[in-house]
Amino acid sequence: MQIPAQSLRFSIFQGISVKQNGQNLSFPWAGGMNSMQYQSMDLNGDGVMDMVCFDRTSNQVSTFLQDSRGDFTFAPGYAMKFPVIENWFAMADYNQDGRKDLFCSSAAGIKVYQNKSVNGQIYFEKVKDPLYTKGFTGLINLYVASPDIPVIADVDSDGDVDVLAFEPGGHYIEFHENVSLQKSGKADLDFEKSPQYWGNFVHHDCRDAQILNSVISPQSVGAVNRVDHVGNSLGRTANNDLFFGQVACTNLGMLKNVGTQQQVSYSNIDFDYLGGLSVGVGVFYSATPLQLNGKTEELFVSLNTPDNTGFRQDFQHASFRIVGGKSKPFLQDQMIDVGEKASPCFFDVDEDGDLDLLIGHAGYRVANDVKSSMYLYENQSGTFQFKTADYLGLGVSESLTDLVLQVQGNQMLVVGQSAEGSKVFYLSKQQIARVSLVLNPGEIPFMSPWGNLVITRTGRIQSAANADWGQLSKESWQVRSCQFADMDGDGTAEFIGIDLEGNWHIGNYDVLTNLISWRTADFQGFTVGRNARLSVADFNADGRQDLVVGTGAGGIYLLENKSNSPVWDAMTEQTLQVWPNPNSGLIHVLTNQPGELQLYNTLGQKASTLHVEPGRTYDLYVKQLGFIRFVDDKGRVSTQKLQQD
């Protein structure tokens, strides 16, 4: 008899500690960082500014609470309250109600969400899309190129929020003045475009910019009707100092305001503000000055590219905080981060009865080659200890990119991309060997309950018997990564997929009709961003399959399976009886099916196994054991948690 399907529910899990380079990571499962943008906001209403981060590569928002000592805690529940953001975002209180509102990129320029949070419950409501400004001929879209980052702040110190943004050609800064207070006495979103080159500044290339004066004019430097580039970042201090970066440039420029708030004046350009500071390696830097402690304005610096074309970026070191002329890593150094496109799997690498962590990744540039490898975090009494960034030397022996890992029983498949196509290896007994399997570039094999399948480059799934498995071509989304696992305990495997944008799709597959009936899963509104990879493991050893997600930003999310567990009784095909429970160290076990008893200690480590026959009572000494798991010969699983008197 098939067990009725249970509801699916998952929650973010952070209960596994990780130690790296002798340090316990504060929030190892926070998902990684690549091209970061930073804004401050009091998320929990305690009067202390917290941090809202947006990763341009994955379109993922992450939130961190700050305490009175300045320490941060990963708090993903707040990120779920933000709308979908692309390209860039900024936070500013445009209506002066004491709550920061959200400005972000739109196809037409800028869209605005009003912060309508009540009693600590964060809520944003879209009020403008697009945002308009008064130009020379009437209202026009307030344009911000999608690669750019504008400044949205009270630039002229008159009490309302203005906008600074590079013009479409990317040469000079436009000032869009908010005139709502002058017109109505109420702060709102009423903008007028200034005809002037704001700050008398023109910009052509990485180190090619000029301050305009009576001698140097826009015409003399060729700024008019010239398009050299699109892609500029802007950051502004409270004193109207400006930081600027440009696409394809490795430097960050700085303009020091020697005038007033109302009459900005720049006298010189520092083209290499980051010179001498350790801020990683890459192009297109952005910088955001923020006051997190209410006193000192600090500078937060990161890369600003949407991808890693040519592997030019060091995404493993991409988030920095600059205070007093010194830089230090910010947040990223407290989480697992392998660079980009992490592909994690829990697997008993050293065959000691517990699960270790292996992570593949996109790869790093080494001289003229790109190397992808496997990171190993060894499970040591419930704490995962970093061991190596190149387990079994795969990064040395092979020139691979985009290494994808997946568990298949007691083996692990390792798939990497090369110039010849997809190379496939298997990991077994601490050895790696090549599989005789020829695949096209981008194709990734994985096991299902019905045999080998292939995820094609188009995001569709193809089997040997069916070129359109599950009829996924009829869906509006494309598969990025998927797994098959029994998540609800009904005895059958569900299809679990992540699409290209990081949304979840879970369904039951009908082999006779080749159709999937889609189910609703409660992820608390949690998406995992672009370029995510999925695996399945019972990482907390509670007898239920959990979800492990490698993010495009190079980190990992753990999603604990909180779904209702099936209740096994005499009416089902399998019965597991354990008594007494609570116990004083001795229990009796009886099953009505043959199979294997798996005994786990309180740390979730497998202590021993025992093959059992139906109808026979087994007496077991279980002092210091946490739970008992029974897997019958049909592969069905039941679990009993052990409690001691």
Side-chain angles (χ1 to χ4, degrees):
M1 184 177 86
Q2 183 170 302
I3 301 166
Q6 308 293 313
S7 60
L8 293 174
R9 186 167 61 90
F10 301 86
S11 63
I12 297 171
F13 186 79
Q14 302 179 67
I16 300 175
S17 59
V18 176
K19 194 170 186 177
Q20 185 163 312
N21 301 324
Q23 175 191 24
N24 289 314
L25 302 183
S26 300
F27 26 82
W29 314 104
M33 293 182 157
N34 281 356
S35 290
M36 302 308 299
Q37 300 172 30
Y38 316 89
Q39 293 289 302
S40 61
M41 175 183 174
D42 185 2
L43 293 167
N44 57 354
D46 64 351
V48 178
M49 282 296 170
D50 308 303
M51 183 65 74
V52 182
C53 305
F54 170 69
D55 187 345
R56 190 167 207 153
T57 64
S58 62
N59 279 356
Q60 190 74 350
V61 175
S62 54
T63 44
F64 298 83
L65 297 179
Q66 183 183 208
D67 62 21
S68 58
R69 301 178 305 229
D71 296 326
F72 288 92
T73 301
F74 180 50
Y78 294 99
M80 301 174 191
K81 306 299 183 181
F82 282 74
V84 175
I85 298 173
E86 294 182 328
N87 300 318
W88 61 265
F89 85 123
M91 303 199 72
D93 182 9
Y94 77 82
N95 58 356
Q96 295 184 335
D97 64 355
R99 297 172 294 199
K100 285 192 175 184
D101 308 295
L102 175 64
F103 297 73
C104 54
S105 176
S106 159
I110 300 176
K111 56 184 170 184
V112 184
Y113 292 85
Q114 183 181 346
N115 185 343
K116 292 191 173 184
S117 305
V118 178
N119 298 326
Q121 298 297 313
I122 296 176
Y123 172 67
F124 292 97
E125 181 179 292
K126 186 164 64 176
V127 292
K128 294 285 186 181
D129 186 14
L131 186 62
Y132 289 100
T133 186
K134 184 179 179 182
F136 306 132
T137 59
L139 288 178
I140 57 174
N141 291 5
L142 206 167
Y143 179 77
V144 176
S146 59
D148 288 12
I149 298 178
V151 165
I152 299 177
D154 186 5
V155 175
D156 54 8
S157 299
D158 65 350
D160 49 25
V161 172
D162 311 296
V163 178
L164 293 177
F166 272 92
E167 49 81 32
H171 294 288
Y172 61 91
I173 300 171
E174 295 179 338
F175 175 48
H176 299 268
E177 182 185 3
N178 193 331
V179 295
S180 56
L181 278 174
Q182 298 96 304
K183 288 184 175 181
S184 66
K186 178 182 178 182
D188 205 344
L189 298 168
D190 189 354
F191 295 92
E192 293 184 1
K193 177 182 174 182
S194 170
Q196 305 299 320
Y197 284 34
W198 193 85
N200 289 321
F201 167 73
V202 294
H203 184 216
H204 293 307
D205 209 342
C206 302
R207 287 175 167 80
D208 181 7
Q210 292 89 21
I211 303 296
L212 303 179
N213 51 39
S214 58
V215 177
I216 303 175
S217 66
Q219 290 75 20
S220 67
V221 298
V224 178
N225 298 323
R226 174 179 167 183
V227 178
D228 291 332
H229 62 271
V230 175
N232 295 275
S233 65
L234 278 177
R236 168 193 173 270
T237 71
N239 188 47
N240 274 333
D241 300 333
L242 278 189
F243 296 91
F244 61 94
Q246 184 189 320
V247 65
C249 296
T250 60
N251 62 307
L252 179 72
M254 192 265 197
L255 296 165
K256 183 74 174 179
N257 181 20
V258 296
T260 66
Q261 289 286 102
Q262 292 76 24
Q263 298 292 324
V264 174
S265 177
Y266 300 123
S267 60
N268 60 68
I269 306 172
D270 181 355
F271 287 106
D272 197 17
Y273 183 82
L274 300 178
L277 297 175
S278 178
V279 291
V281 177
V283 298
F284 200 3
Y285 283 94
S286 66
T288 306
L290 294 173
Q291 288 181 322
L292 288 184
N293 57 16
K295 297 178 182 179
T296 305
E297 198 168 41
E298 306 171 38
L299 191 66
F300 296 86
V301 175
S302 184
L303 303 169
N304 190 40
T305 52
D307 54 43
N308 198 3
T309 303
F311 291 87
R312 298 179 63 188
Q313 320 293 344
D314 180 10
F315 277 150
Q316 202 175 17
H317 305 91
S319 179
F320 297 89
R321 183 179 191 175
I322 299 176
V323 185
K326 298 182 178 180
S327 68
K328 61 180 181 179
F330 181 60
L331 301 178
Q332 187 181 21
D333 62 323
Q334 295 301 312
M335 60 184 74
I336 294 174
D337 193 322
V338 298
E340 58 177 325
K341 299 180 182 177
S343 179
C345 275
F346 285 92
F347 186 66
D348 189 2
V349 171
D350 48 12
E351 300 180 301
D352 63 350
D354 55 26
L355 294 176
D356 309 293
L357 175 64
L358 284 169
I359 315 172
H361 57 91
Y364 311 126
R365 178 163 290 283
V366 180
N368 294 322
D369 203 357
V370 178
K371 297 287 188 178
S372 186
S373 61
M374 292 187 291
Y375 278 67
L376 170 61
Y377 290 79
E378 184 180 309
N379 190 340
Q380 297 182 351
S381 301
T383 295
F384 285 80
Q385 172 72 54
F386 171 73
K387 286 297 183 181
T388 178
D390 191 11
Y391 181 61
L392 300 181
L394 193 63
V396 174
S397 61
E398 301 284 341
S399 296
L400 300 174
T401 62
D402 200 13
L403 210 64
V404 177
L405 313 181
Q406 53 188 286
V407 173
Q408 298 185 0
N410 62 356
Q411 296 183 340
M412 175 181 287
L413 270 188
V414 181
V415 185
Q417 303 301 312
S418 71
E420 298 81 31
S422 294
K423 293 185 178 180
V424 184
F425 306 80
Y426 69 86
L427 175 64
S428 180
K429 296 182 178 180
Q430 304 182 51
Q431 294 180 342
I432 190 128
R434 189 170 298 190
V435 178
S436 298
L437 183 64
V438 179
L439 296 174
N440 296 319
E443 292 182 337
I444 301 172
F446 68 97
M447 288 297 292
S448 80
W450 312 280
N452 275 318
L453 301 179
V454 173
I455 302 178
T456 69
R457 289 183 295 169
T458 60
R460 306 302 183 203
I461 299 178
Q462 178 180 340
S463 70
N466 199 319
D468 188 14
W469 182 90
Q471 298 189 29
L472 291 178
S473 64
K474 297 181 179 180
E475 305 296 330
S476 60
W477 54 275
Q478 293 188 341
V479 178
R480 167 65 180 175
S481 180
C482 67
Q483 290 283 295
F484 289 87
D486 183 6
M487 308 304 296
D488 58 6
D490 67 351
T492 61
E494 284 77 47
F495 166 81
I496 310 111
I498 302 174
D499 65 25
L500 301 181
E501 298 302 316
N503 302 302
W504 294 92
H505 305 270
I506 297 182
N508 300 317
Y509 176 67
D510 188 331
V511 67
L512 297 178
T513 64
N514 190 35
L515 291 173
I516 299 175
S517 55
W518 299 110
R519 306 178 52 160
T520 300
D522 179 10
F523 290 94
Q524 302 177 346
F526 188 63
T527 61
V528 293
R530 292 187 298 208
N531 296 317
R533 292 289 190 190
L534 170 69
S535 65
V536 176
D538 183 10
F539 54 67
N540 57 356
D542 65 351
R544 290 177 289 196
Q545 294 293 315
D546 307 297
L547 299 175
V548 186
V549 179
T551 72
I556 298 174
Y557 295 127
L558 301 181
L559 297 179
E560 182 183 15
N561 189 347
K562 304 289 286 188
S563 309
N564 297 328
S565 297
V567 177
W568 300 91
D569 56 34
M571 299 300 295
T572 68
E573 290 183 347
Q574 182 210 61
T575 300
L576 170 65
Q577 297 182 27
V578 178
W579 77 96
N581 196 23
N583 65 84
S584 57
L586 181 70
I587 63 170
H588 312 291
V589 179
L590 175 67
T591 73
N592 70 344
Q593 297 288 328
E596 182 180 81
L597 286 180
Q598 302 171 351
L599 304 180
Y600 291 79
N601 63 22
T602 55
L603 297 175
Q605 300 167 317
K606 186 184 293 183
S608 61
T609 60
L610 175 68
H611 183 80
V612 297
E613 296 296 332
R616 176 182 172 184
T617 300
Y618 294 82
D619 299 329
L620 303 176
Y621 184 73
V622 294
K623 200 75 171 178
Q624 297 181 341
L625 291 183
F627 69 94
I628 186 169
R629 189 177 190 224
F630 176 55
V631 184
D632 70 17
D633 288 350
K634 296 181 180 179
R636 296 169 301 185
V637 178
S638 59
T639 303
Q640 287 270 0
K641 186 175 182 181
L642 301 177
Q643 302 177 9
Q644 295 186 354
D645 291 331

Short mmCIF file of all heavy atoms in Angstrom, two decimals, residues 6-10 504-507 517-523:
data_model
loop_
_atom_site.label_atom_id
_atom_site.label_comp_id
_atom_site.label_asym_id
_atom_site.label_seq_id
_atom_site.Cartn_x
_atom_site.Cartn_y
_atom_site.Cartn_z
N GLN A 6 2.41 13.53 1.84
CA GLN A 6 2.36 14.52 2.90
C GLN A 6 2.68 15.90 2.33
O GLN A 6 3.25 16.03 1.26
CB GLN A 6 3.36 14.17 4.01
CG GLN A 6 3.25 12.73 4.53
CD GLN A 6 1.97 12.50 5.26
OE1 GLN A 6 1.57 13.31 6.10
NE2 GLN A 6 1.30 11.40 4.96
N SER A 7 2.32 16.92 3.07
CA SER A 7 2.64 18.28 2.66
C SER A 7 4.15 18.50 2.73
O SER A 7 4.85 17.89 3.55
CB SER A 7 1.92 19.29 3.55
OG SER A 7 2.31 19.13 4.90
N LEU A 8 4.64 19.36 1.84
CA LEU A 8 6.07 19.66 1.79
C LEU A 8 6.34 21.00 2.43
O LEU A 8 5.68 21.99 2.13
CB LEU A 8 6.55 19.67 0.34
CG LEU A 8 6.53 18.33 -0.39
CD1 LEU A 8 6.89 18.51 -1.85
CD2 LEU A 8 7.49 17.35 0.27
N ARG A 9 7.34 21.03 3.29
CA ARG A 9 7.69 22.27 3.96
C ARG A 9 9.18 22.25 4.26
O ARG A 9 9.71 21.25 4.75
CB ARG A 9 6.88 22.45 5.24
CG ARG A 9 7.08 23.79 5.93
CD ARG A 9 6.01 24.01 7.01
NE ARG A 9 6.08 22.99 8.04
CZ ARG A 9 6.82 23.09 9.15
NH1 ARG A 9 7.55 24.17 9.34
NH2 ARG A 9 6.82 22.11 10.04
N PHE A 10 9.85 23.37 3.97
CA PHE A 10 11.29 23.47 4.17
C PHE A 10 11.62 24.78 4.88
O PHE A 10 10.92 25.78 4.72
CB PHE A 10 12.03 23.41 2.84
CG PHE A 10 11.78 22.15 2.05
CD1 PHE A 10 10.69 22.05 1.21
CD2 PHE A 10 12.62 21.07 2.17
CE1 PHE A 10 10.44 20.90 0.48
CE2 PHE A 10 12.39 19.92 1.44
CZ PHE A 10 11.30 19.83 0.61
N TRP A 504 11.79 27.30 -7.44
CA TRP A 504 11.61 25.88 -7.18
C TRP A 504 10.43 25.30 -7.95
O TRP A 504 9.40 25.95 -8.13
CB TRP A 504 11.38 25.65 -5.68
CG TRP A 504 12.57 25.97 -4.84
CD1 TRP A 504 12.83 27.17 -4.24
CD2 TRP A 504 13.66 25.12 -4.53
NE1 TRP A 504 14.01 27.11 -3.57
CE2 TRP A 504 14.55 25.86 -3.73
CE3 TRP A 504 13.96 23.81 -4.84
CZ2 TRP A 504 15.72 25.32 -3.23
CZ3 TRP A 504 15.15 23.26 -4.35
CH2 TRP A 504 16.00 24.02 -3.56
N HIS A 505 10.59 24.04 -8.37
CA HIS A 505 9.53 23.30 -9.05
C HIS A 505 9.58 21.86 -8.56
O HIS A 505 10.57 21.15 -8.78
CB HIS A 505 9.70 23.36 -10.57
CG HIS A 505 9.78 24.75 -11.12
ND1 HIS A 505 8.69 25.47 -11.52
CD2 HIS A 505 10.86 25.57 -11.29
CE1 HIS A 505 9.07 26.66 -11.93
NE2 HIS A 505 10.38 26.74 -11.81
N ILE A 506 8.52 21.41 -7.92
CA ILE A 506 8.46 20.06 -7.37
C ILE A 506 7.19 19.38 -7.88
O ILE A 506 6.10 19.98 -7.88
CB ILE A 506 8.48 20.08 -5.84
CG1 ILE A 506 9.80 20.67 -5.34
CG2 ILE A 506 8.28 18.68 -5.27
CD1 ILE A 506 9.95 20.70 -3.85
N GLY A 507 7.33 18.15 -8.32
CA GLY A 507 6.16 17.45 -8.85
C GLY A 507 6.31 15.94 -8.79
O GLY A 507 7.39 15.39 -8.55
N SER A 517 2.79 16.12 -12.33
CA SER A 517 1.78 16.90 -11.63
C SER A 517 2.50 17.75 -10.58
O SER A 517 3.12 17.25 -9.66
CB SER A 517 0.75 15.99 -10.97
OG SER A 517 1.35 15.04 -10.12
N TRP A 518 2.43 19.05 -10.77
CA TRP A 518 3.22 19.97 -9.96
C TRP A 518 2.60 20.18 -8.59
O TRP A 518 1.39 20.25 -8.42
CB TRP A 518 3.37 21.31 -10.69
CG TRP A 518 4.10 21.14 -12.00
CD1 TRP A 518 3.58 21.25 -13.25
CD2 TRP A 518 5.46 20.80 -12.16
NE1 TRP A 518 4.52 21.00 -14.19
CE2 TRP A 518 5.70 20.71 -13.54
CE3 TRP A 518 6.50 20.54 -11.28
CZ2 TRP A 518 6.94 20.40 -14.07
CZ3 TRP A 518 7.74 20.22 -11.80
CH2 TRP A 518 7.95 20.15 -13.19
N ARG A 519 3.47 20.28 -7.59
CA ARG A 519 3.06 20.45 -6.21
C ARG A 519 3.56 21.78 -5.70
O ARG A 519 4.51 22.37 -6.20
CB ARG A 519 3.65 19.34 -5.33
CG ARG A 519 3.34 17.95 -5.81
CD ARG A 519 3.99 16.91 -4.93
NE ARG A 519 3.69 17.11 -3.51
CZ ARG A 519 3.80 16.18 -2.59
NH1 ARG A 519 4.15 14.96 -2.93
NH2 ARG A 519 3.53 16.42 -1.33
N THR A 520 2.89 22.27 -4.70
CA THR A 520 3.29 23.50 -4.06
C THR A 520 4.14 23.17 -2.84
O THR A 520 3.73 22.43 -1.97
CB THR A 520 2.08 24.33 -3.62
OG1 THR A 520 1.30 24.65 -4.76
CG2 THR A 520 2.52 25.62 -2.94
N ALA A 521 5.34 23.70 -2.81
CA ALA A 521 6.22 23.51 -1.67
C ALA A 521 6.39 24.82 -0.93
O ALA A 521 6.51 25.88 -1.54
CB ALA A 521 7.58 22.99 -2.12
N ASP A 522 6.38 24.77 0.38
CA ASP A 522 6.53 25.95 1.20
C ASP A 522 7.99 26.18 1.52
O ASP A 522 8.56 25.53 2.39
CB ASP A 522 5.71 25.81 2.49
CG ASP A 522 5.84 27.03 3.40
OD1 ASP A 522 6.39 28.04 2.94
OD2 ASP A 522 5.39 26.97 4.55
N PHE A 523 8.62 27.10 0.79
CA PHE A 523 9.99 27.49 1.05
C PHE A 523 10.06 28.84 1.75
O PHE A 523 11.08 29.53 1.72
CB PHE A 523 10.80 27.56 -0.24
CG PHE A 523 11.07 26.21 -0.86
CD1 PHE A 523 10.24 25.70 -1.82
CD2 PHE A 523 12.15 25.47 -0.45
CE1 PHE A 523 10.49 24.46 -2.38
CE2 PHE A 523 12.41 24.22 -1.01
CZ PHE A 523 11.58 23.72 -1.98
#
